[in-house]
Amino acid sequence: ILLLKDKPDTGYRSILGWAFFCLNDRLAATSLWGISGDDDEAKLGGALSCLIREGFSEKLRVEFAALAACSNFIVSVVCCRLLAEAFFSQGNFQKAIHWARRSEWRTPRDLSVKRLIARSLQRGKDRKSAIECWTEIASISPEDAEAQEQLGRLALETKDPAKAADFFRRSLAIDPFRGELRLLLGDIALDSDD
């Protein structure tokens, strides 16, 4: 970012916008895309700016869906991702899964999209598919504490406390600051003493 920020070339502004987007500074990304010279990026920047200011609306859904069909690969993937996030936040997990899968199809190695799919499946009460998705994430990235935790929570739902405890211990070994898991492990231990 430091190397690119003072470059006058609009191509560098586009790259810098993507860097800010990846760092989750979406507001900075929108301003840079607005002056990048790329029409699709400028449209994405405008739509994302409206999303940040006003929230998700039907008009923005239509705009993001149109951009998801554009020829700019990165813009298309990001729009699918943004639609998935918006529908997830509204509790429409089927549409969140639909748009996240479209993003995943284009970027199959993006674990953040896979996590969004897994969360949507879990919240949508598709336990079997959620377990498969979290298991895939855990196999790709064994150091993913969230995947281990969610597999433990799903094991609790299926009444398998020993398996849940194993997953919770794995999650805590990766990230010891997941205090709630210690409480769940305590509850499992208390229940097993009965």
Side-chain angles (χ1 to χ4, degrees):
I1 290 174
L2 293 173
L3 293 172
L4 296 175
K5 73 177 181 122
D6 294 326
K7 298 275 187 185
D9 186 323
T10 57
Y12 288 115
R13 290 185 184 132
S14 173
I15 294 168
L16 190 56
W18 288 111
F20 277 114
F21 185 82
C22 290
L23 292 171
N24 219 18
D25 188 344
R26 293 178 173 182
L27 199 53
T30 63
S31 64
L32 287 161
W33 289 333
I35 56 174
S36 73
D38 181 275
D39 286 344
D40 290 332
E41 287 178 3
K43 289 176 188 172
L44 172 60
L48 187 54
S49 180
C50 285
L51 178 66
I52 292 167
R53 282 191 326 266
E54 301 163 16
F56 193 58
S57 66
E58 180 61 21
K59 179 183 173 219
L60 279 177
R61 185 201 62 77
V62 169
E63 198 169 339
F64 280 125
L67 284 167
C70 78
S71 61
N72 184 320
F73 178 81
I74 298 172
V75 169
S76 175
V77 168
V78 166
C79 286
C80 289
R81 168 70 183 263
L82 290 169
L83 282 163
E85 289 175 2
F87 283 119
F88 181 86
S89 70
Q90 290 181 335
N92 190 335
F93 303 118
Q94 289 303 331
K95 285 191 177 181
I97 292 165
H98 166 79
W99 287 104
R101 291 261 188 231
R102 286 186 65 176
S103 181
E104 180 189 39
W105 178 75
R106 293 174 173 104
T107 57
R109 295 181 184 265
D110 187 345
L111 288 179
S112 64
V113 172
K114 289 184 185 304
R115 281 187 208 94
L116 182 56
I117 293 168
R119 287 183 201 118
S120 298
L121 289 165
Q122 197 168 352
R123 295 261 181 97
K125 305 297 183 197
D126 186 348
R127 189 178 295 134
K128 182 179 182 269
S129 297
I131 290 170
E132 289 171 3
C133 199
W134 285 118
T135 301
E136 178 187 5
I137 294 166
S139 70
I140 294 168
S141 178
E143 297 299 310
D144 192 309
E146 182 184 6
Q148 301 296 333
E149 176 183 342
Q150 295 310 322
L151 285 166
R153 290 181 184 280
L154 287 160
L156 276 181
E157 288 178 19
T158 59
K159 310 288 188 234
D160 191 344
K163 194 174 189 178
D166 184 46
F167 282 121
F168 292 154
R169 283 188 203 96
R170 288 184 206 173
S171 182
L172 284 166
I174 298 163
D175 180 3
F177 298 104
R178 292 176 175 265
E180 184 180 349
L181 297 185
R182 294 182 195 288
L183 296 172
L184 289 170
L185 281 169
D187 291 343
I188 291 169
L190 283 173
D191 289 345
S192 68
D193 289 341
D194 293 342

